[in-house]
Amino acid sequence: MKHKALVAIGLLSMAAGAWAEPADDIKNLLLQGKDKQAYELGRAAPERLGEPAFDFYFGIAALNAGAPGEGVLALERYLLQFPDNRSAQFQLARGYYILGEDQRARKEFEALAPAAQGDELQSIQRFLDAIRARESRYKPTASAFAELGFGRDSNINSGVASGQIAGLPSGFIVAPGQTSERVRGSFGSAAAGVQGVYPVAPGVSLYGGAAASWRVHPGGRADVFDQQLASVQGGATALQGRNLVRVGLDFTTLAVDNQRYLGIGTLSGEWHRQVDQYNRFGLGLQWSRQSYHDVTTFLDLAQTVPVTSEATVRDSDVLSASAFWNRTLDHPWQPVLSVSTQFASEHNRRDRPDLSRDIWGLRLGATVQPAAKWTLAGALAWQASRHGAEFAPGVDTRRDRFVSLDLSAAYALDRRWSLRTEYQHVSQHSNIGLYQYQRNVLALKLRYQTP
């Protein structure tokens, strides 16, 4: 948010007057992004403290250079003489926020908000949201969201082309019209959820939440692929200095065509460290139990040949370890880069080593805010897996390579409503053709979120 401070620098020229020279020197350095030099120049002229224009620019320089105490004092002196200057009021509120004086910062930002417009309003709202998030450390907070969307999917069922299945003996085919054949179509989606944080001691909080989502495929015969997902989660976080530790439980259930198909219980632990204002890294360890349920489905899209999924044979336990690094760049677009890696081992509980596997993964991501209301994001992920035994007698052990590209653009209609478009490309290569597919998904979603 630092670059927002420079907007105010050009709004005070009428007040410079007799104090123009040193104030202008600091102002010019600020416009060049030389915050530390501007601050040091101001400190070298203590006799100028109390001169309004000098106090204004020196106050901003001190905030940007990491000396918020001096910056707040300078801006308070300025506002004693020019109490109606909005730019100085905004910078003072920013100074209170940096100092951690959330109540005073909130009061100043809320006083400015009714008359704010454009970039100024967006900046105020972001500060208020950040204050609210920080308050969750010492007071209970809660939020909720709801979302509606629709889109187009080139491969709803992650199916394959009809014909002979690569990697399997001759005669193993996917016939036209079977549910394993690739199906294109449109879909509608909905999601809703709540979450909350309850502090129990300084730096220690309990958290919890619940969410549900639905995806339906209207028209045609693709309704057998409709999905319903529900999850609940809870745990505790401990924040000490630059370190955060989180331990949590998560329970998720997936239904397909209104039949419960998969239940997952997960125990996870994470450690995050904020190295400085630009760098954050962390480690995670997670154990999950996956329990499948047999459902009645159909061999064909015409839904004339019912079959049982026999999915319970896939019951497994998964142990995974992960690491990540986030890097924030000092740029007006506020870019954040992320790198994460994961290793997991899935152990089948039904004495089926061919369904056990080792998994390696890498993900690269980035987000930017090119304008006040816009957020753009992208991520590229790669994953490889190798199963523990032959796929079938005389057939090679299954090996997969999965690549996905995710892109999104979100536009904030106001503080609560946003519109987002998403695109995903997925490509999975496998030596067993039944699991080799490509998929493109395009969606548009409207979201409501309480601040």
Side-chain angles (χ1 to χ4, degrees):
M1 296 181 184
K2 185 186 77 175
H3 76 280
K4 300 293 185 182
L6 300 181
V7 175
I9 294 173
L11 302 180
L12 199 69
S13 57
M14 81 283 282
W19 308 287
E21 282 190 20
D24 281 347
D25 290 341
I26 297 174
K27 170 187 173 182
N28 290 332
L29 287 171
L30 288 171
L31 290 172
Q32 297 172 45
K34 299 178 179 179
D35 301 324
K36 291 186 178 179
Q37 293 92 322
Y39 170 64
E40 293 298 336
L41 179 62
R43 291 203 67 189
E47 71 279 0
R48 297 288 188 171
L49 294 174
E51 297 175 359
F54 181 90
D55 279 342
F56 178 80
Y57 294 121
F58 176 68
I60 295 175
L63 295 183
N64 293 352
E70 293 179 74
V72 164
L73 289 175
L75 291 165
E76 286 178 338
R77 285 195 302 269
Y78 175 83
L79 283 167
L80 287 174
Q81 299 189 53
F82 298 94
D84 298 325
N85 187 282
R86 290 183 61 85
S87 300
Q89 291 169 355
F90 178 89
Q91 297 306 322
L92 180 61
R94 189 169 74 94
Y96 288 148
Y97 172 81
I98 295 172
L99 286 173
E101 297 188 29
D102 291 341
Q103 290 186 345
R104 298 179 73 179
R106 180 196 294 276
K107 180 179 178 181
E108 296 294 333
F109 282 127
E110 288 180 343
L112 290 168
Q117 296 180 355
D119 287 350
E120 182 190 32
L121 179 59
Q122 292 296 316
S123 297
I124 290 171
Q125 290 176 344
R126 286 175 181 166
F127 272 111
L128 289 172
D129 289 342
I131 290 169
R132 185 180 181 280
R134 198 156 65 181
E135 283 178 342
S136 66
R137 299 179 187 177
Y138 54 86
K139 63 183 295 187
T141 60
S143 62
F145 78 92
E147 184 177 88
L148 291 174
F150 67 91
R152 183 76 179 174
D153 192 331
S154 70
N155 194 347
I156 293 171
N157 57 336
S158 299
V160 299
S162 59
Q164 172 67 41
I165 301 174
L168 295 182
S170 178
F172 286 84
I173 66 171
V174 171
Q178 286 189 335
T179 50
S180 296
E181 185 184 24
R182 181 176 58 233
V183 177
R184 299 179 177 87
S186 300
F187 65 88
S189 65
V194 295
Q195 60 183 4
V197 177
Y198 187 87
V200 294
V204 180
S205 298
L206 303 178
Y207 70 88
S213 62
W214 301 263
R215 175 167 160 151
V216 297
H217 306 90
R221 294 167 292 182
D223 57 346
V224 293
F225 305 118
D226 289 356
Q227 296 183 10
Q228 303 86 37
L229 186 71
S231 65
V232 294
Q233 59 177 300
T237 62
L239 180 64
Q240 180 65 44
R242 296 178 180 269
N243 299 295
L244 181 144
V245 176
R246 178 185 292 116
V247 178
L249 283 170
D250 182 285
F251 298 94
T252 300
T253 182
L254 169 66
V256 178
D257 195 19
N258 295 310
Q259 302 174 79
R260 188 183 182 193
Y261 177 68
L262 173 62
I264 304 175
T266 301
L267 173 64
S268 61
E270 301 174 26
W271 168 66
H272 298 187
R273 179 169 177 80
Q274 189 75 41
V275 180
D276 52 37
Q277 63 179 322
Y278 300 112
N279 295 281
R280 184 168 176 244
F281 68 84
L283 303 172
L285 191 64
Q286 181 174 286
W287 176 84
S288 298
R289 168 149 290 195
Q290 300 181 350
S291 300
Y292 289 82
H293 300 267
D294 290 334
V295 298
T296 299
T297 183
F298 295 91
L299 183 63
D300 58 332
L301 290 173
Q303 302 181 20
T304 61
V305 184
V307 294
T308 302
S309 67
E310 299 183 359
T312 54
V313 73
R314 297 178 60 186
D315 289 352
S316 63
D317 294 330
V318 182
L319 181 64
S320 65
S322 60
F324 78 87
W325 171 52
N326 290 349
R327 168 72 178 179
T328 302
L329 303 181
D330 189 7
H331 185 276
W333 285 19
Q334 303 178 58
V336 178
L337 308 179
S338 63
V339 180
S340 62
T341 184
Q342 181 187 45
F343 171 77
S345 178
E346 181 176 355
H347 174 71
N348 183 268
R349 303 199 310 272
R350 299 290 184 176
D351 196 26
R352 288 286 302 272
D354 59 304
L355 296 176
S356 297
R357 58 177 176 160
D358 291 331
I359 306 167
W360 304 264
L362 178 67
R363 184 180 185 275
L364 307 176
T367 63
V368 296
Q369 292 183 305
K373 294 187 176 184
W374 284 96
T375 300
L376 308 180
L380 180 65
W382 171 88
Q383 179 179 288
S385 63
R386 180 182 177 86
H387 288 245
E390 293 180 345
F391 179 77
V395 179
D396 287 344
T397 298
R398 179 182 163 190
R399 299 183 304 277
D400 298 337
R401 297 191 312 278
F402 175 92
V403 177
S404 68
L405 173 66
D406 292 271
L407 302 173
S408 68
Y411 180 76
L413 301 171
D414 58 27
R415 194 179 179 190
R416 297 173 182 265
W417 291 91
S418 62
L419 192 64
R420 185 173 74 258
T421 183
E422 300 174 345
Y423 168 76
Q424 182 184 57
H425 170 76
V426 170
S427 179
Q428 176 160 293
H429 298 273
S430 178
N431 64 325
I432 307 299
L434 192 61
Y435 304 98
Q436 181 163 299
Y437 66 93
Q438 289 195 352
R439 188 174 185 177
N440 293 282
V441 184
L442 183 64
L444 182 66
K445 298 178 179 180
L446 177 67
R447 185 183 183 93
Y448 175 86
Q449 176 119 24
T450 61

